[in-house]
Amino acid sequence: MRNRLNFTSLSPAGETRFTDDSPKVSICVPARNEEQNIERSIRSALNQKYEKVEVLVLDDHSTDDTGEILASLKQDQSISDRLVLLRGKPKPDDWLGKPWACQQLGEAADGDIIIFADADTWFDSDTAGRVVRTMGRDVLDMLTVWPRQVLGTFWEKMLIPLVYYALLSLLPVHYVFRSPRWMPPFLWDKFSPLFAAACGQFIAFKRAAYQEVGGHQSVKQKVVDDVELAKKIKLKSYSMRMYYGSQAISCRMYRSNSEIWQGFRKNFLAGFGNNLFLFGLMGLIHLIVYIIPPVLFIGALFSAATGILAWSASAIFLAFSHRFLMARWFAWSYWYGFLHPFSVLWFQVLGITAVKDYLTKTKTEWKGRPV
C-alpha cells in the first residue's frame, strides 16, 4: 500500500511550450530481430509533441526483416531528418550484446537527456515532454519507467504480473529515491546499491551522469545491465527514481510460454547478483508463503485441523488480496490472480533451471546469441 502511493506516473508535460533552452532528448533503441515490433516502436518515438527530439536506432546484425523495415522508415521524408540509423559494429568478445549496442548508441547521441528504450516498447506522444518535466521537477540524474504491460496470451497474463508483484512486494520504492530515515548516513553510503532497481525497457540519463558512471562500458559483461547502472548511479551519489508508465510508455515483452521461459532464464539468477544463498532463500520464502498454504488448506479440509485451516486460509486470502489490488491498479484480469500459486511454481522450476545453468556453466541463448 505504501508503494501504491510512491510508485507514481511521470509528471504531465503540461500545455505550455518548452523554451529554446529546454534540453534536447535522444531516444536510443537497440534492435536485433525485432521485425514484429520495430515499426510501431520507432514511429511512436518520432511522434513526440516535444520538439527537441532525435531518435537513434541501431540494427544489431538482425537476421530477420528488421533492417529492411528501418530502411523503409528512413525513406519517409516526414521523419527522415529526425531518425538516425546505425549499423552495429562487430561485437567484441568481452562484451554482451545489449550493452555493446547501447554503448554505440550512447556515443552517437548528442542529447542533454539520453533515453534507452527497448524495441518492444511504444511511446505516448507526451512521453519525451513528461521525462523532461519529471527530471526537472524531481531534480534527477536518472529515471527509469516500468511500462504498462500489455498482456495477450494465457501465459503472459499468468506470469508477467509476478514481475511487478515481486517488485512492489519486496522493494520499498521510495528508498530508491531517498535514504531511510531510520538508517544512519554512513550505513546508507554502503547499502544504498541494495535499493537500486531499474527497468531496462526504459531508462533516461542526464548526459553528464551517464558519462560519469562510464556508460554501458562499465556494465559490458552484465546481463542485468539496467540494475548495475542504477547501482553505479547511487554509488556516485547521483539521484534516481522509478515511475510507472501509465500514459507514457507501454510494452509487450513476450508472446508465448517459450519466449517467457527463455527471456527470464537468461537473467533470473543474475538479477540476484548470482548469489546462490540469497536466491535460494527467496525461493524458500516463496515456497513457504505461496505454495504450502494452499496444500495445507486442501489437507485441512479433509481433517479436523481447524487451526491449520484458518491459518492457511488467511495466508491465501492475503496473497489473493495483493493480486486483486494489483489487477485493479494495472488494469489486468482479476481471474488470473487465482492462479498465483501455479505462477509461483512456474518460477520455482525456472529458478532450479537457472541454478543448474550456473553450476554447469550452461550458456542460454537470446536473439540468436549466447548469454
Side-chain angles (χ1 to χ4, degrees):
M1 296 304 296
R2 177 70 180 271
N3 279 341
R4 180 66 179 90
L5 299 175
N6 289 282
F7 191 49
T8 59
S9 301
L10 295 170
S11 302
E15 297 298 327
T16 57
R17 291 180 59 86
F18 289 89
T19 68
D20 292 338
D21 294 331
S22 299
K24 181 178 181 180
V25 176
S26 296
I27 300 175
C28 300
V29 182
R32 178 175 170 85
N33 296 344
E34 294 284 357
E35 61 182 7
Q36 283 187 309
N37 306 307
I38 194 64
E39 182 168 1
R40 180 179 188 178
S41 176
I42 301 310
R43 286 194 179 278
S44 70
L46 289 164
N47 186 34
Q48 296 298 301
K49 295 178 182 177
Y50 189 79
E51 297 179 353
K52 299 177 70 173
V53 170
E54 65 170 359
V55 178
L56 300 91
V57 189
L58 183 136
D59 179 15
D60 189 13
H61 303 277
S62 298
T63 57
D64 61 3
D65 290 335
T66 298
E68 288 74 13
I69 295 171
L70 290 172
S72 177
L73 286 172
K74 187 63 177 175
Q75 296 301 314
D76 187 338
Q77 296 299 316
S78 65
I79 61 177
S80 61
D81 61 329
R82 292 175 290 123
L83 177 60
V84 179
L85 297 185
L86 304 175
R87 182 70 178 174
K89 299 175 183 177
K91 184 182 74 66
D93 293 338
D94 60 339
W95 283 73
L96 292 178
K98 185 177 179 181
W100 174 238
C102 289
Q103 179 68 22
Q104 296 173 75
L105 286 162
E107 291 174 353
D110 63 0
D112 304 293
I113 295 174
I114 304 176
I115 296 173
F116 293 96
D118 283 357
D120 55 5
T121 61
W122 60 94
F123 304 74
D124 287 14
S125 60
D126 282 335
T127 299
R130 282 174 170 264
V131 169
V132 173
R133 288 286 191 212
T134 302
M135 295 189 85
R137 183 199 69 180
D138 294 342
V139 194
L140 300 174
D141 299 293
M142 169 188 165
L143 65 77
T144 184
V145 177
W146 293 79
R148 182 180 68 90
Q149 295 295 334
V150 177
L151 310 177
T153 64
F154 167 84
W155 294 104
E156 292 171 78
K157 294 175 182 178
M158 176 180 170
L159 299 171
I160 300 300
L162 259 71
V163 177
Y164 282 53
Y165 183 89
L167 173 74
L168 298 173
S169 297
L170 300 174
L171 177 68
V173 168
H174 50 297
Y175 291 161
V176 175
F177 176 61
R178 65 166 180 82
S179 62
R181 294 188 177 93
W182 48 266
M183 183 178 289
F186 73 93
L187 286 178
W188 178 246
D189 292 340
K190 180 179 180 180
F191 289 106
S192 63
L194 296 177
F195 295 94
C199 179
Q201 293 166 348
F202 191 100
I203 302 179
F205 297 91
K206 286 184 179 176
R207 168 184 287 277
Y210 177 71
Q211 293 176 339
E212 177 65 21
V213 300
H216 279 81
Q217 184 173 6
S218 65
V219 294
K220 64 182 181 179
Q221 294 183 328
K222 301 296 185 180
V223 177
V224 284
D225 56 290
D226 47 3
V227 177
E228 295 299 326
L229 281 169
K231 289 180 179 179
K232 291 182 179 297
I233 284 287
K234 293 184 78 68
L235 283 172
K236 289 285 187 179
S237 298
Y238 285 116
S239 58
M240 66 163 291
R241 195 164 187 164
M242 297 197 313
Y243 299 89
Y244 175 50
S246 174
Q247 301 178 351
I249 185 165
S250 305
C251 177
R252 187 174 181 186
M253 295 201 311
Y254 307 115
R255 297 171 184 267
S256 67
N257 182 45
S258 60
E259 280 191 12
I260 298 171
W261 179 269
Q262 286 301 112
F264 287 149
R265 182 180 180 180
K266 71 181 187 299
N267 56 21
F268 195 23
L269 180 57
F272 289 81
N274 293 321
N275 186 321
L276 293 180
F277 174 78
L278 178 61
F279 191 70
L281 178 62
M282 292 307 302
L284 178 62
I285 290 173
H286 278 72
L287 183 69
I288 293 171
V289 175
Y290 301 118
I291 305 301
I292 291 181
V295 173
L296 292 179
F297 180 80
I298 294 172
L301 286 175
F302 299 95
S303 69
T306 56
I308 293 178
L309 184 68
W311 175 87
S312 57
S314 299
I316 294 169
F317 176 79
L318 183 60
F320 284 171
S321 297
H322 289 173
R323 284 299 303 268
F324 298 150
L325 285 170
M326 287 191 61
R328 180 178 178 83
W329 185 359
F330 297 119
W332 292 332
S333 170
Y334 289 96
W335 296 108
Y336 285 86
F338 289 110
L339 297 178
H340 187 77
F342 299 100
S343 305
V344 173
L345 273 177
W346 188 95
F347 277 96
Q348 293 279 321
V349 175
L350 177 65
I352 294 171
T353 304
V355 171
K356 180 182 176 182
D357 289 341
Y358 180 76
L359 295 176
T360 60
K361 300 187 184 327
T362 300
K363 291 284 188 180
T364 59
E365 188 172 284
W366 185 248
K367 301 288 185 180
R369 279 182 179 152
V371 179

